[in-house]
Amino acid sequence: MKLVRDRIPEIIIEDGRKPIYHIAEADEYKRELCKKVAEELKEFQERPCLEEAADLLEVVYTLFEAHSFELMDIVEWGMRKNSYVGTFTRGVILERVDD
């Protein structure tokens, strides 16, 4: 059992097969979206290409929508945080912090 794109059951039917599926309620939907993010990230790590990047981005956007987050609000928060603690573009790896 896993979250799939909306048209997958229809495509299975067109192929002459019978899909067994249900529409997730809110809590299950959010849990399954988190699992799908991990799945898509793994696929992107194994094969970094535009197709896998698009799949990852689609599920991340959908996860944000499921939590009623607006993309512009997320971008604004990110910009604020970037101005305070920076971005990840330089590749800084913190090895440890000595007291």
Side-chain angles (χ1 to χ4, degrees):
M1 183 170 72
K2 71 176 185 172
L3 182 67
V4 295
R5 289 178 178 262
D6 297 343
R7 288 199 60 242
I8 295 300
E10 179 183 330
I11 292 168
I12 292 169
I13 291 168
E14 289 170 359
D15 193 39
R17 299 178 294 154
K18 182 181 177 184
I20 308 300
Y21 68 98
H22 69 276
I23 304 301
E25 293 190 21
D27 288 342
E28 179 186 20
Y29 182 50
K30 290 173 186 174
R31 278 193 313 273
E32 291 300 315
L33 281 167
C34 288
K35 289 181 191 176
K36 196 68 171 180
V37 168
E39 175 188 327
E40 295 299 343
L41 176 58
K42 183 175 186 289
E43 290 176 7
F44 180 77
Q45 288 172 316
E46 292 170 356
R47 192 171 71 99
C49 64
L50 287 175
E51 178 184 0
E52 297 302 340
D55 288 347
L56 179 57
L57 192 58
E58 176 66 27
V59 74
V60 168
Y61 281 158
T62 305
L63 179 61
F64 295 159
E65 289 175 0
H67 285 275
S68 300
F69 297 150
E70 296 290 329
L71 186 57
M72 288 308 300
D73 293 337
I74 296 167
V75 169
E76 286 177 19
W77 271 96
M79 288 171 52
R80 278 190 231 130
K81 192 163 187 175
N82 291 351
S83 70
Y84 179 67
V85 292
T87 65
F88 296 98
T89 57
R90 289 182 34 220
V92 175
I93 307 295
L94 183 63
E95 295 177 22
R96 71 176 178 267
V97 177
D98 294 334
D99 291 332

